[in-house]
Amino acid sequence: MADTSLFLPTSKDEMERLGWTQPDIILFSGDAYVDHPSFGAAVIGRALQAAGFKVAIVPQPNWRDDLRDFKKLGKPRLFFGVSAGAMDSMVNHYTANRRLRHDDAYTAGGRHGMRPDYPTIVYSRILKDLFPDVPVIAGGIEASLRRVAHYDYWQDKLRPSILLDAPADMIAYGMGEVTVVELVRRLERGEKIESITDLPQTAFFTSEVPGEGDIVLHSFEECLKSKKLQALNFRHVEEESNRMQGAVIWQSTSGRWLRINPMRPPMKTGEIDAAFDLPFTRLPHPRYKGKVIPAYEMIKHSLTMHRGCFGGCAFCTISAHQGKFIASRSKDSILREAKQITAMDDFKGYISDLGGPSANMYAMHGRDMSICSKCRRPSCLHPVPCPNLNNNHAPLLDIYKSVDALPGVKKSFIGSGVRYDLAMAPAGSPEVDKINREYLHELITSHVSGRLKVAPEHVSPRVLNCMRKPSFDLFRQFKKIFDDVNKKEGLRQQLIPYFISSHPACHDEDMAQLAVETRRLNFQLEQVQDFTPTPMTLATEIYYSGFHPYTGEKVFTARSEQQKLAQRQFFFWYKPEAKKEIVESLKRIHRPDLIRQLYGDTPRNGHKKASESQKSSRR
C-alpha cells in the first residue's frame, strides 16, 4: 500500500493511522487532491498544518448519493472549508458557446462530472444541513470572484454575492493562506465567527452598517433595474482591489448588508517563501492509483516565482484575485524548489516553466512605493507604462541562469505568458534598457521549447484600448527581434500569437483588419479563443451592461451566436470555405478595400501554417 502519511488525510482510516480522533479543519474541494503548491486546497491545508492544526481534505465529494463523503470524517473542531477548485466551475464545465465540456483537467483520468455546477453553493448547503452549528468558510477562485453582485454568463443574468445562495459564514477571497491562518487562530482563542468582522480579505453578511470612509455600492436590487449602476459599482470594486490600502466595501442585498474587507498588502518575501517552502510531496494522493490528472501533468516540473499582475487586462481576473502588486519569492526559495524538481523520479532535465501570472514581472515594483500606495490605476502598463515602474529584468535573468546552472537541469523553459511590452518599455536608464535587451535575447535563445507563446490579443487600436493592451506595433517590433535572434543564432523557432474574437468594442471590421495583419505576417491561425465573460472583469461588465464603467460610454459587443461566428470566421480567412461568407460580410459594411487586401494578391513568402499547439485553452 502506498504511504499516505505524507499527505493530508482523506479518509477515516488515514486519520486513524495518524492517531487522530477529530480534525480541527476539514477542507472540501472540487479538484482532485494534488499535494503541490499550484493547487489551492493543498496550499491552504499545508499552511494550516504548519500553524499547528490537524487538517483533513475531502476531494471531489459525491453530492448525488446519501452524502456519505460529507459525513465520513465527522465534525471538525473549528470549521469546514469549501472551494470549487482552481477554476470557476462554470468555466471548467462549459465552453464560450455554453456547450458542455467532455473532460476535466483537474480530475483523475480527465473524467467529467466529478463536481457540480457551483460547488461552493452545493457543498455549503449540504454541510450546513448536516452540521448547522459548524462554521463554513468559502474560498478559491469561484467564491473570490463572486463575492459581490456579478454577471453570470451561463445563466445570462445578474446574480447577487454568492453568499446569498451559499450559506457559508464567510468568504476568504484572494490568495487565502495568511487570512485563513489568522482566522483559525482567532477561532482557537474562542472568538465567534460572527464577531470576526475586521479580518482583511473576507466578505460576509453582517448586522453592522457602513462607517465613515467606507464605500457603499448601489444595492443589488438597484443594479437589477439599471445596468449602468452595475457598471459604476464595478469601477469601485476594481479600483479598491488594486489599491495597496483599500476601503471597506458594502452592498445591500435582499435587505442585508454585505461587507467586503479590503485586500491585504502584498505578501512580503518571507511570507511567500513560507507558503512555497511547505512540505509538499508534489504528487497526487495515492488514492488515484497512478491515474493521470491532466492539470498536474502540465505543471509538475514547473515552479511559480511570484504572484500578482499589474497588466490589468480587461478580460483577466488575476488582479481581482491575486492583486496588482507583485509578491516575489527569494532566489533561495526558488532554487530550493528547483532542486526538489530535479529529485523527482520522472524528471528528465527539463523544467517546464519558470513562471507566474505574467512570466516576466518577477521582483518588479514602483521606484517610489509611496506613489504606489496612493495609486488607483488598474494597470501599470496601460494606456502607457507608468513612469514610476521599475521594469529591470536583471533579477529575472539571474534566476534563469542560476536555475540552469543546477546539477541535473539541462534547460528551463518559460511556459507562462511573457509581456513583451514590459521588456521593451523604455526604462529611463541606458543600463536597464541594455539589461532588458539581454533578457529578450536570453529568453529567445535559451528558454523557448520550439515555440514562444505571446498574446497580442488583437490588432485594432480601439479593441486593444478596450482590452487595456498595447499597440500592435509593439508585437511587430517584437516579432522582428524574435526573427532576427533566431536567424543570427541559427534557430528554427515559432512565435505563437494568441488572439481573441468577440471582445467588447470589436466589430466585424476590426476582425477583418486582424485577418489582413495575420496575412501580412504569414500567420495562419488554426485554433483561437472567443471572449468568454467571467465574473469580475472589466470586459464582462461591458458585455453585460453595454457601458464602459470608467467613461460611461456605450460599447458594442457581439452577443448572439451568429454575431460571434461572423467574427470568428475572420481567423480562418485562408480556408476556401470561409471566403464567400467573409466577402459578403465585408460588402455589407462597405469595405471592398479589405476584400482586396485579403484576397487580391499573394504574400511574398507564402503562409506558415500555425502549429496545432496554438490552443485556445487560456485564462
Side-chain angles (χ1 to χ4, degrees):
M1 179 181 291
D3 184 6
T4 60
S5 66
L6 299 176
F7 295 79
L8 302 175
T10 66
S11 68
K12 197 79 171 176
D13 287 345
E14 290 171 31
M15 278 176 40
E16 289 174 354
R17 284 197 288 271
L18 292 172
W20 297 5
T21 55
Q22 181 186 34
D24 298 319
I25 302 107
I26 302 175
L27 305 177
F28 285 81
S29 172
D31 290 340
Y33 172 31
V34 180
D35 192 43
H36 188 282
S38 291
F39 288 74
V43 174
I44 297 299
R46 290 297 190 182
L48 289 166
Q49 180 190 56
F53 296 92
K54 297 175 182 176
V55 187
I57 182 169
V58 181
Q60 300 185 314
N62 189 338
W63 74 100
R64 297 186 179 99
D65 59 7
D66 59 2
L67 307 182
R68 67 186 69 180
D69 283 348
F70 292 88
K71 305 171 187 174
K72 66 181 182 181
L73 302 185
K75 180 191 294 190
R77 189 170 63 87
L78 295 172
F79 69 82
F80 289 110
V82 298
S83 169
M87 295 175 66
D88 184 282
S89 64
M90 304 308 281
V91 179
N92 180 282
H93 283 172
Y94 301 96
T95 69
N97 291 324
R98 299 189 177 97
R99 293 191 174 94
L100 191 66
R101 299 185 193 275
H102 299 296
D103 55 9
D104 184 338
Y106 291 88
T107 298
R111 181 181 173 188
H112 177 79
M114 294 297 288
R115 77 186 88 208
D117 289 353
Y118 310 107
T120 307
I121 297 172
V122 175
Y123 295 171
S124 297
R125 285 177 176 174
I126 292 171
L127 290 169
K128 276 297 185 183
D129 284 344
L130 294 174
F131 308 99
D133 58 332
V134 180
V136 174
I137 312 300
I141 196 83
E142 182 169 273
S144 180
L145 300 181
R146 295 173 181 267
R147 60 188 183 259
V148 68
H150 57 281
Y151 171 69
D152 187 288
Y153 172 68
W154 296 272
Q155 294 190 349
D156 192 23
K157 68 179 184 180
L158 193 70
R159 294 190 59 151
S161 166
I162 198 170
L163 281 175
L164 198 69
D165 296 307
D169 296 270
M170 179 182 285
I171 291 172
Y173 72 86
M175 308 306 284
E177 59 263 56
V178 176
T179 299
V180 172
V181 168
E182 182 178 340
L183 172 65
V184 74
R185 284 174 172 158
R186 291 176 67 168
L187 292 173
E188 178 78 341
R189 291 198 298 265
E191 293 186 54
K192 300 295 184 183
I193 188 70
E194 59 270 16
S195 70
I196 302 175
T197 61
D198 59 343
L199 189 61
Q201 278 185 220
T202 58
F204 45 86
F205 283 112
T206 176
S207 58
E208 295 180 359
V209 295
E212 186 177 350
D214 295 348
I215 291 176
V216 180
L217 303 176
H218 296 285
S219 72
F220 173 64
E221 289 73 21
E222 288 174 322
C223 292
L224 283 175
K225 296 175 182 176
S226 169
K227 291 182 177 181
K228 197 163 191 177
L229 294 182
Q230 170 64 18
L232 292 173
N233 275 0
F234 172 79
R235 178 173 179 173
H236 287 301
V237 173
E238 182 178 54
E239 287 184 336
E240 296 307 311
S241 296
N242 284 319
R243 290 182 65 191
M244 194 167 284
Q245 296 176 328
V248 176
I249 294 175
W250 299 77
Q251 185 174 42
S252 174
T253 304
S254 299
R256 303 169 67 191
W257 279 113
L258 172 73
R259 172 173 172 150
I260 304 174
N261 287 329
M263 293 190 84
R264 295 178 175 277
M267 295 177 79
K268 296 177 181 177
T269 299
E271 291 176 318
I272 192 167
D273 280 359
F276 281 89
D277 289 347
L278 293 167
F280 300 101
T281 64
R282 300 184 64 87
L283 298 169
H285 190 277
R287 66 188 283 134
Y288 303 114
K289 299 177 182 177
K291 289 183 181 177
V292 171
I293 299 173
Y296 170 69
E297 293 300 313
M298 289 179 63
I299 56 84
K300 64 180 177 179
H301 296 148
S302 71
L303 60 85
T304 300
M305 299 189 296
H306 61 278
R307 293 178 180 170
C309 179
F310 51 73
C313 296
F315 47 80
C316 184
T317 61
I318 291 170
S319 64
H321 186 66
Q322 295 194 12
K324 176 176 74 174
F325 298 99
I326 306 300
S328 298
R329 299 168 63 184
S330 68
K331 178 180 175 179
D332 286 346
S333 176
I334 292 169
L335 292 179
R336 279 196 295 273
E337 186 174 0
K339 290 174 184 175
Q340 289 178 340
I341 294 172
T342 65
M344 295 176 69
D345 291 341
D346 60 350
F347 182 68
K348 307 298 183 184
Y350 300 98
I351 292 180
S352 60
D353 188 21
L354 295 175
S358 287
N360 55 321
M361 290 185 182
Y362 176 76
M364 291 187 186
H365 49 76
R367 293 184 177 89
D368 182 346
M369 292 303 292
S370 67
I371 295 174
C372 296
S373 68
K374 303 182 183 104
C375 181
R376 291 177 181 267
R377 281 181 58 171
S379 172
C380 301
L381 295 175
H382 186 270
V384 294
C386 176
N388 188 46
L389 176 64
N390 177 4
N391 68 335
N392 188 346
H393 285 62
L396 196 54
L397 268 172
D398 181 41
I399 294 290
Y400 288 179
K401 292 176 180 178
S402 298
V403 169
D404 282 357
L406 290 174
V409 174
K410 297 176 183 176
K411 198 168 188 177
S412 61
F413 299 116
I414 311 306
S416 303
V418 173
R419 288 295 299 247
Y420 54 84
D421 55 325
L422 177 60
M424 295 166 65
S429 160
E431 181 183 355
V432 175
D433 286 340
K434 181 174 181 291
I435 288 169
N436 291 353
R437 288 193 297 272
E438 290 175 7
Y439 167 78
L440 289 175
H441 188 273
E442 170 78 11
L443 171 71
I444 295 167
T445 58
S446 302
H447 301 281
V448 176
S449 62
R451 302 175 181 88
L452 178 62
K453 301 172 185 177
V454 293
E457 308 293 9
H458 216 284
V459 305
S460 164
R462 72 173 162 200
V463 180
L464 289 168
N465 184 57
C466 187
M467 289 178 163
R468 294 181 180 153
K469 294 290 287 188
S471 166
F472 193 69
D473 286 340
L474 275 176
F475 175 76
R476 293 191 191 96
Q477 294 171 32
F478 178 71
K479 183 178 185 302
K480 185 177 186 309
I481 293 170
F482 184 85
D483 291 343
D484 288 349
V485 170
N486 274 276
K487 183 176 180 181
K488 181 180 178 181
E489 301 295 335
L491 300 171
R492 295 171 61 90
Q493 300 181 139
Q494 286 183 298
L495 191 61
I496 307 298
Y498 284 122
F499 296 98
I500 296 177
S501 61
S502 304
H503 190 276
C506 184
H507 298 251
D508 287 6
E509 177 183 18
D510 300 300
M511 292 302 299
Q513 290 174 345
L514 190 154
V516 168
E517 287 292 345
T518 55
R519 180 181 191 269
R520 286 173 179 164
L521 293 170
N522 298 328
F523 287 115
Q524 286 189 3
L525 306 175
E526 284 294 326
Q527 297 193 40
V528 291
Q529 179 182 3
D530 292 331
F531 168 65
T532 304
T534 54
M536 208 176 285
T537 71
L538 173 66
T540 297
E541 297 301 329
I542 296 172
Y543 175 92
Y544 168 68
S545 71
F547 296 97
H548 196 295
Y550 286 77
T551 67
E553 297 175 352
K554 288 187 176 181
V555 180
F556 168 80
T557 306
R559 293 183 60 90
S560 71
E561 187 169 352
Q562 182 180 5
Q563 288 174 324
K564 291 180 179 182
L565 288 173
Q567 290 204 9
R568 182 183 174 87
Q569 70 181 349
F570 283 98
F571 285 126
F572 310 111
W573 63 269
Y574 54 88
K575 293 186 176 182
E577 62 269 26
K579 182 176 179 179
K580 181 180 177 181
E581 288 293 330
I582 289 175
V583 169
E584 289 300 318
S585 177
L586 293 177
K587 283 180 179 178
R588 282 195 298 272
I589 62 174
H590 308 293
R591 292 302 303 269
D593 57 316
L594 292 172
I595 298 175
R596 288 192 298 272
Q597 290 178 64
L598 270 179
Y599 298 112
D601 60 347
T602 304
R604 289 170 296 175
N605 300 321
H607 300 299
K608 299 174 185 176
K609 188 166 183 177
S611 163
E612 290 182 1
S613 69
Q614 288 183 266
K615 302 294 184 184
S616 61
S617 176
R618 303 171 61 222
R619 35 180 187 274

